[in-house]
């Protein structure tokens, strides 16, 4: 048996962790974040919201049910690098198409195993997320060169990088009394958002994230869905301006994750970067309107600053039960509601899928 190839993770604060290479060999820079999910690694790897990030999985073994062709949330993997404690070489599942190692090699994702991911997670919780590089080419004489590159690295034009470039018309999976026409603005949407709409009888048209409000309204939508996506929401000034126009149109709008943040910015609120974000399938969220707490799937590093939400425009409808951050806004002034978490889950609990039904109800009322 040949000796396993070494790999390293170097953080911007100078911390160097040595482990073993799996997936692709090479070198990749990104923002190091952690995900606490015990399952759902395939959905994590293919979620466009992770664009520009090196993902650390806190669960000790990853890949035990392999990779299949059904659970892809987009057409490829978007992560910059992957960090696990141990990966499973012999997965067991009737849908297995390949091992996680084979998938990462196919996607060209530089990955590292054999390090204490929970210790690394504690560090990120205390110091906050920071830039890092996963490499199979580390040498001590390259240390300063790599640290300088880490100081220069930043995630820019994230939505542009992950969004589709052409309009895509999708049919409804099930026909209801009426097939509502929904325009899905693609900021890096997960496929299960599309499936959740289609299963409720919606005919969905997916449009690039930078599509103008005029072009969207020309499609005569019954409703508009603002998707999840990566990056700093505040950098998307052109998109924010178009969302403001859509809100004034009166067409029902439902925003998820980045869509939630962009809507808040379009109505005059502010966003803040969280110290280490919320990434996992076990985030408790309290629905203030119904006085109920749900367990939700989340993936975000920014949040809406609740103190900047104009109460005459809207109110905070959901909060995170752990840290009190804003998880949802219902708008008084506009025909719109948004949430920070992922109600369609994938992977994770589907307790909050009722929000898609509320969106359907809003469209049934004709946008009133």
């Amino acid at each position: 048996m040949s000796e396993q190839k070494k790999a390293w993770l170097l953080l911007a604060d100078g911390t160097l962790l040595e482990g073993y290479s799996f997936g692709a060999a090479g070198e990749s820079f990104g923002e190091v974040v952690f995900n606490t999910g015990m399952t759902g690694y395939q959905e994590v790897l293919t979620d466009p919201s992770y664009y520009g990030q090196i993902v650390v999985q806190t669960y000790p073994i990853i890949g035990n049910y392999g990779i299949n062709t059904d659970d892809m949330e987009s057409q490829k993997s978007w992560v910059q690098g992957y960090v696990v404690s141990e990966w499973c070489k012999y997965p067991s599942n009737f849908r297995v198409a390949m091992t996680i190692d084979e998938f990462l090699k196919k996607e060209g994702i530089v990955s590292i195993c054999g390090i204490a991911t929970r210790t690394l997670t504690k560090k990120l919780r205390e110091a906050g997320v920071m830039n890092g590089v996963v490499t199979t080419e580390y040498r001590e004489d390259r240390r300063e060169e790599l640290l300088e590159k880490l100081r220069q690295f930043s995630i820019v034009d994230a939505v542009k990088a992950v969004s589709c470039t052409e309009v895509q018309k999708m049919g409804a999976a099930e026909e209801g009394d009426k097939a509502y026409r929904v325009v899905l603005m693609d900021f890096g949407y997960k496929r299960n958002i599309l499936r959740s709409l289609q299963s409720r009888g919606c005919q969905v048209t997916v449009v690039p994230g930078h599509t103008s409000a005029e072009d969207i309204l020309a499609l005569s939508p019954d409703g508009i869905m603002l998707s999840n996506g990566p990056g700093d929401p505040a950098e998307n000034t052109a998109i924010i301006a178009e969302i403001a126009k859509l809100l004034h149109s009166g067409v029902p709008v439902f925003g998820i994750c980045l869509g939630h943040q962009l809507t808040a910015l379009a109505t005059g609120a502010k966003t803040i970067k969280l110290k280490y974000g919320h990434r996992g399938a076990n985030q408790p969220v309290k629905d203030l309107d119904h006085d109920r707490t749900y367990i939700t799937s989340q993936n975000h590093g920014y949040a809406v600053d609740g103190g900047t939400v104009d109460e005459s425009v809207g109110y905070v409808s959901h909060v995170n039960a752990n840290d009190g951050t804003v998880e949802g806004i219902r708008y008084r002034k506009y025909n719109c509601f948004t949430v920070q978490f992922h109600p369609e889950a994938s992977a994770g609990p589907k307790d909050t899928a009722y929000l898609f039904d509320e969106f359907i109800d809003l469209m049934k009322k004709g946008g009133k």
Side-chain angles (χ1 to χ4, degrees):
M1 182 176 179
S2 60
E3 186 177 350
Q4 197 168 359
K5 185 178 178 66
K6 292 282 186 69
W8 294 263
L9 171 65
L10 178 65
L11 300 178
D13 69 352
T15 300
L16 180 66
L17 300 173
E18 182 178 306
Y20 298 97
S21 172
F22 80 114
E27 191 164 277
S28 187
F29 294 80
E31 181 183 55
V32 184
V33 302
F34 62 87
N35 182 289
T36 58
M38 293 186 289
T39 62
Y41 52 80
Q42 182 170 340
E43 289 87 346
V44 168
L45 287 167
T46 57
D47 181 351
S49 296
Y50 282 107
Y51 173 81
Q53 296 179 328
I54 295 170
V55 177
V56 180
Q57 298 274 186
T58 62
Y59 193 68
I61 185 166
I62 297 295
N64 55 305
Y65 53 89
I67 299 289
N68 64 71
T69 57
D70 300 325
D71 293 342
M72 300 282 287
E73 284 300 316
S74 65
Q75 76 275 20
K76 56 171 283 187
S77 178
W78 297 95
V79 302
Q80 286 293 104
Y82 203 47
V83 183
V84 305
S85 175
E86 180 184 354
W87 67 275
C88 180
K89 298 175 178 62
Y90 305 104
S92 177
N93 188 286
F94 70 97
R95 297 190 300 163
V96 169
M98 66 184 78
T99 68
I100 193 168
D101 178 57
E102 291 169 333
F103 176 76
L104 292 167
K105 281 183 169 67
K106 181 174 78 73
E107 295 291 316
I109 306 301
V110 184
S111 307
I112 182 173
C113 64
I115 66 172
T117 52
R118 293 191 176 188
T119 299
L120 174 57
T121 297
K122 288 180 179 179
K123 182 177 188 62
L124 296 174
R125 280 175 58 94
E126 293 168 5
V129 296
M130 64 182 78
N131 291 340
V133 56
V134 179
T135 179
T136 57
E137 303 164 2
Y138 181 81
R139 300 189 312 271
E140 193 59 31
D141 63 359
R142 296 190 63 219
R143 181 182 177 87
E144 289 307 316
E145 167 207 340
L146 293 173
L147 288 173
E148 179 56 31
K149 287 183 178 180
L150 290 175
R151 286 189 283 268
Q152 299 296 324
F153 177 84
S154 63
I155 301 171
V156 295
D157 292 331
V159 170
K160 184 178 180 181
V162 303
S163 178
C164 64
T165 57
E166 296 179 347
V167 175
Q168 304 166 32
K169 293 187 177 181
M170 315 285 189
E174 298 177 7
E175 295 294 339
D177 295 332
K178 176 183 177 182
Y180 293 98
R181 297 184 302 273
V182 175
V183 171
L184 170 57
M185 292 189 75
D186 177 17
F187 308 133
Y189 82 96
K190 294 198 300 177
R191 286 177 177 168
N192 209 41
I193 292 177
L194 173 62
R195 289 191 290 264
S196 295
L197 292 168
Q198 290 178 315
S199 68
R200 289 167 172 81
C202 295
Q203 294 177 339
V204 183
T205 301
V206 181
V207 300
H210 289 81
T211 303
S212 70
E214 289 77 12
D215 286 346
I216 290 172
L217 295 174
L219 297 170
S220 301
D222 297 306
I224 299 167
M225 171 67 73
L226 308 178
S227 83
N228 61 294
D232 182 350
E235 80 169 10
N236 299 287
T237 53
I239 295 175
I240 292 165
E242 297 306 315
I243 290 175
K245 296 176 189 176
L246 292 173
L247 292 174
H248 283 91
S249 74
V251 177
V253 175
F254 179 21
I256 293 174
C257 202
L258 182 64
H260 157 79
Q261 297 162 1
L262 294 174
T263 304
L265 290 165
T267 60
K270 305 294 182 186
T271 54
I272 55 175
K273 184 165 187 177
L274 300 174
K275 187 174 182 180
Y276 48 82
H278 303 148
R279 297 176 181 87
N282 52 1
Q283 289 286 330
V285 168
K286 184 170 186 179
D287 182 334
L288 300 178
D289 286 342
H290 299 102
D291 194 28
R292 290 191 62 181
T293 298
Y294 299 94
I295 302 301
T296 69
S297 178
Q298 300 194 14
N299 171 21
H300 62 100
Y302 291 82
V304 175
D305 182 348
T308 65
V309 177
D310 186 339
E311 291 189 3
S312 68
V313 174
Y315 67 94
V316 175
S317 58
H318 299 71
V319 296
N320 190 289
N322 285 334
D323 60 15
T325 52
V326 175
E327 294 280 1
I329 298 175
R330 292 188 181 272
Y331 288 90
R332 295 185 172 100
K333 191 174 180 180
Y334 305 110
N335 203 12
C336 173
F337 67 98
T338 65
V339 292
Q340 180 64 76
F341 50 91
H342 293 235
E344 90 301 335
S346 287
K350 299 182 178 180
D351 303 15
T352 55
Y354 70 89
L355 292 167
F356 283 94
D357 298 324
E358 289 193 14
F359 184 45
I360 299 298
D361 289 341
L362 208 55
M363 290 189 285
K364 283 181 180 178
K365 294 175 183 176
K368 295 180 181 178

